[in-house]
């Protein structure tokens, strides 16, 4: 078989996309499949959720929130470069905090309190809907088992997070004034953090995904993560009323 190359590509292999073409395809996945389009999120932002539905989302989404530093620790462990590990460690600190009472998980607990949920209700994993549990476990296991490129690419939903957070802040202030404004601190913090984290991860994916196979894996990983977030909302949206904390 010939091993002649054309433009640096082995004959018979598909030409890799340019970094800008890869970025365009990744952004297209987010534009088409990000969970801001999910009917539950649409109703949330239009003010169509009852207090019970909103509390059910807050309680079940917490199961995802508390696993963010877990999946980031799994990703960090794949890095050989100390500089990369130091940089990614910031994401764990953002959610776990530098000290007790600090960090994104703590801010989500305060959101729950502002919505009338006790911390014990949020932290009781037995209350989590089965579909939410499966979605979160699927994402954590993906980050545990797949190569660093795939795991980092899956985190690129962060590219769409700042706009979602801005929309959510306005929606909560306008439609759910019964939730104290201090409870929205998590959303406000993720506007800046999400934009920073997304750009950082995008730079890594652009640098690492050099072959068409690697690039397609990156696109597929982001699509998978979008599916995880969509499945989580499916479970919350269809969850029985009894699965939500009582109003």
């Amino acid at each position: 078989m010939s091993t002649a190359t054309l433009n640096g590509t082995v004959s018979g292999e598909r030409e890799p996309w340019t970094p800008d073409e890869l970025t365009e395809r990744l952004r297209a996945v987010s534009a088409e499949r990000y969970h801001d389009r999910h009917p539950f999120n649409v109703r949330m932002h239009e003010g169509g959720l009852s207090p019970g539905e909103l509390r059910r989302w807050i309680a079940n989404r917490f199961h995802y929130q508390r696993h963010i530093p877990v999946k980031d620790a799994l990703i960090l462990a794949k890095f050989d470069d100390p500089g990369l590990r130091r940089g990614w460690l910031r994401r764990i600190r953002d959610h776990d905090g530098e000290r007790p009472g600090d960090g994104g998980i703590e801010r989500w607990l305060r959101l729950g309190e502002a919505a009338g949920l006790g911390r014990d209700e949020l932290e009781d994993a037995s209350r989590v809907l089965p579909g939410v549990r499966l979605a979160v476990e699927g994402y954590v296991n993906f980050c545990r088992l797949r190569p660093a490129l795939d795991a980092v690419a899956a985190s690129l939903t962060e590219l769409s997070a700042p706009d979602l957070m801005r929309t959510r802040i306005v929606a909560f202030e306008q439609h759910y004034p019964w939730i104290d404004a201090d409870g929205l601190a998590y959303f406000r913090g993720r506007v800046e953090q999400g934009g920073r984290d997304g750009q950082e991860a995008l730079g890594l994916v652009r640098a690492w995904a050099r072959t068409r196979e690697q690039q397609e894996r990156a696109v597929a990983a982001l699509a998978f993560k979008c599916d995880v977030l969509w499945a989580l909302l499916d479970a919350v949206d269809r969850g029985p009323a009894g699965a939500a904390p009582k109003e």
Side-chain angles (χ1 to χ4, degrees):
M1 180 179 295
S2 174
T3 58
T5 61
L6 296 173
N7 299 322
T9 302
V10 177
S11 178
E13 290 186 1
R14 291 173 299 162
E15 188 86 13
W17 300 315
T18 67
D20 287 345
E21 288 171 336
L22 172 60
T23 299
E24 185 176 326
R25 289 174 182 270
L26 290 166
R27 290 190 182 279
V29 169
S30 291
E32 295 171 4
R33 304 177 66 161
Y34 191 54
H35 66 156
D36 61 335
R37 294 170 171 262
H38 193 284
F40 188 88
N41 263 339
V42 172
R43 292 206 317 276
M44 180 192 297
H45 298 152
E46 291 177 347
L49 298 186
S50 69
E53 288 175 315
L54 197 56
R55 291 179 183 127
R56 184 166 68 232
W57 171 72
I58 291 171
N60 281 276
R61 172 77 187 202
F62 180 70
H63 190 67
Y64 173 84
Q65 298 299 136
R66 75 197 307 181
H67 282 86
I68 291 176
V70 175
K71 66 89 179 175
D72 279 323
L74 292 167
I75 294 174
L76 181 151
K78 299 177 188 292
F79 296 157
D80 294 328
D81 180 76
L84 282 179
R85 291 197 295 269
R86 285 193 295 270
W88 208 266
L89 183 61
R90 183 194 64 238
R91 296 170 182 246
I92 298 175
R93 290 196 297 265
D94 284 345
H95 282 83
D96 280 343
E98 299 280 0
R99 61 193 64 81
D102 186 27
I105 292 176
E106 172 64 24
R107 285 190 287 274
W108 196 273
L109 287 167
R110 292 176 186 171
L111 169 64
E113 290 176 328
L117 295 168
R119 291 189 175 221
D120 57 336
E121 294 177 280
L122 289 167
E123 293 175 338
D124 183 358
S126 69
R127 295 170 176 260
V128 177
L129 292 165
V132 171
R133 192 186 311 279
L134 285 171
V136 172
E137 289 180 359
Y139 181 40
V140 171
N141 283 330
F142 183 91
C143 294
R144 176 182 290 114
L145 300 173
R146 299 300 290 268
L149 169 62
D150 304 50
V152 171
S155 77
L156 287 174
T157 49
E158 293 284 10
L159 291 170
S160 300
D163 286 343
L164 176 63
M165 293 301 105
R166 293 185 187 99
T167 298
R168 187 160 288 163
I169 291 166
V170 172
F172 270 63
E173 291 176 340
Q174 179 178 354
H175 300 300
Y176 310 106
W178 53 274
I179 295 181
D180 191 277
D182 290 343
L184 307 184
Y186 178 85
F187 305 144
R188 296 191 177 97
R190 290 307 296 169
V191 172
E192 179 180 352
Q193 290 175 356
R196 177 202 64 203
D197 292 349
Q199 289 300 320
E200 178 185 56
L202 179 60
L204 293 175
V205 171
R206 283 169 60 103
W208 293 347
R210 297 183 177 276
T211 68
R212 176 68 77 86
E213 184 272 336
Q214 290 171 332
Q215 293 169 337
E216 290 180 344
R217 274 175 35 211
V219 172
L222 177 54
F224 166 78
K225 174 63 178 305
C226 289
D227 288 347
V228 166
L229 296 174
W230 199 276
L232 190 154
L233 285 178
D234 275 348
V236 172
D237 198 13
R238 300 168 184 170
K246 294 182 179 180
E247 297 184 32

